[in-house]
Amino acid sequence: MRTDWDPVPPAEVHELFAALAAPWWLAGGYAVEQALGRSLREHGDIDVLVLRRDHLAVQQVLRGWEWWAADPPGALRPWQSGEILPAEVCDVWCRPAADRPWRIQLMIDESDGECWTSRRNPRVRREVRSIGRTGASGIPYLAPEILLFYKAKDTRPKDEADFAALLPLLTPGQRRWLAEAIGDTYGAHPWLAHASPG
């Protein structure tokens, strides 16, 4: 099976997902760049986040594509048409055909009524309408403090760079939310000293 990636550019993702009658957001590195309004680096993939309640609708948006669910601890298997994915599956790789590179990584997160709840900690929650922002290009992306919350787990050099780039953009309220979410989920963390509002 091919393992190479050729990420769909954000503008094309926007065109594809315009047909989705449910909220969606860019996540990961491309979302960081939407928040900053500038490029930071090359990207190995592109992440699109949807709520689990809406995940089946993505099959209609990407009709004719192949969808492969990442079953923990990471084995890929076909996501069948109409199959409701179990709670432990929160990652789907998508490509137009078997002989093409992977193009979109679908991330699936949880919700409870009109509240988003983190798949890493159900106590970390917000109203769905408050978890996204819209870039100058009109592309929806995950709020910076939520991006950083997810990036705080097992940080890599690019996550540290994203933290340094995004932190100055956060309001005191966003910093407070981030510090509380990190502390409640990961415990002691080196970002806490910087994320907590003064």
Side-chain angles (χ1 to χ4, degrees), residues 67-181:
W67 324 295
W68 288 70
D71 266 329
L76 289 175
R77 55 106 174 152
W79 178 23
Q80 302 300 326
S81 180
E83 176 193 1
I84 296 174
L85 292 172
E88 63 270 16
V89 174
C90 56
D91 187 9
V92 178
W93 291 20
C94 308
R95 62 186 177 185
D99 62 347
R100 300 280 301 280
W102 301 104
R103 304 298 314 276
I104 294 173
Q105 186 168 1
L106 182 69
M107 311 300 291
I108 303 171
D109 228 336
E110 307 303 325
S111 62
D112 177 11
E114 289 308 308
C115 282
W116 158 81
T117 62
S118 168
R119 63 182 177 271
R120 294 193 180 148
N121 179 354
R123 293 186 302 276
V124 175
R125 52 196 296 128
R126 296 251 297 260
E127 289 187 1
V128 170
R129 64 183 180 183
S130 77
I131 70 168
R133 303 289 182 269
T134 303
S137 57
I139 299 173
Y141 63 93
L142 207 55
E145 66 272 24
I146 299 177
L147 288 170
L148 292 175
F149 164 69
Y150 276 122
K151 285 177 165 288
K153 181 182 180 184
D154 303 325
T155 58
R156 304 155 294 181
K158 65 181 181 180
D159 301 316
E160 298 290 348
D162 291 344
F163 178 72
L166 287 176
L167 189 64
L169 302 183
L170 301 188
T171 66
Q174 289 172 307
R175 288 186 180 215
R176 188 175 303 107
W177 183 92
L178 177 61
E180 290 173 358

Side-chain angles (χ1 to χ4, degrees), residues 2 6 9 21 27 40 52 57 70 74 85 114 152 161 171 175 187 190 194:
R2 292 185 67 155
D6 179 20
L40 281 181
R52 188 169 301 279
L85 292 172
E114 289 308 308
T171 66
R175 288 186 180 215
H194 305 287

Side-chain angles (χ1 to χ4, degrees), residues 32-39:
V32 172
E33 293 182 353
Q34 289 291 315
L36 293 172
R38 60 183 171 86
S39 296

